[in-house]
């Protein structure tokens, strides 16, 4: 982004030279290339951030499903509350690793 701002500053400071040599199209293309490069980097970063968010969402949905199923097992007397609690805590520890 700083490079694109530098291009604008240089072009505006030397606008008389740009006009004298009819370099407007060259400067426009130079600026467009830099801003496109910045946009591509932003999109790439956004994709990585979305992937991480999706993984975290999947983890929380899985934990909700485990807690829901565990609550059903506790209600039926097939599991104790302490077992479910321990499993959820250990799963949380594994997520941090």
């Amino acid at each position: 982004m700083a490079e694109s701002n530098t291009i604008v500053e240089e072009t505006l400071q030397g606008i008389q030279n740009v006009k004298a040599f009819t370099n407007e199209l060259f400067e426009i293309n130079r600026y467009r290339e830099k801003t496109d490069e910045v946009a591509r980097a932003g999109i790439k970063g956004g994709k990585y951030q979305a992937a991480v968010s999706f993984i975290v969402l999947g983890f929380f949905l899985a934990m909700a499903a485990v807690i829901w199923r565990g609550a059903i097992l506790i209600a039926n007397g097939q599991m104790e509350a302490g077992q479910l609690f321990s499993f959820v805590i250990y799963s949380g520890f594994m997520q941090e690793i």
Side-chain angles (χ1 to χ4, degrees):
M1 192 67 183
E3 291 178 16
S4 65
N5 287 336
T6 302
I7 291 170
V8 171
E9 289 177 18
E10 288 174 354
T11 303
L12 291 177
Q13 287 177 359
I15 194 68
Q16 291 176 345
N17 291 331
V18 171
K19 291 280 190 181
F21 293 102
T22 61
N23 262 353
E24 293 93 344
L25 188 59
F26 172 77
E27 295 298 335
I28 289 170
N29 289 334
R30 191 165 71 126
Y31 180 71
R32 182 177 292 131
E33 288 173 7
K34 283 298 174 188
T35 54
D36 287 347
E37 184 180 320
V38 169
R40 282 191 300 273
I43 290 170
K44 186 176 181 181
K47 287 180 182 178
Y48 287 131
Q49 188 174 5
V52 169
S53 298
F54 182 74
I55 291 169
V56 170
L57 176 66
F59 173 76
F60 283 117
L61 289 175
M63 289 303 298
V66 165
I67 292 170
W68 175 74
R69 180 67 179 151
I72 292 173
L73 292 175
I74 290 171
N76 292 336
Q78 297 173 338
M79 179 185 273
E80 295 179 11
Q83 290 174 321
L84 176 62
F85 182 74
S86 295
F87 181 78
V88 170
I89 294 298
Y90 291 142
S91 296
F93 290 149
M94 291 304 294
Q95 188 267 338
E96 292 178 11
I97 294 176

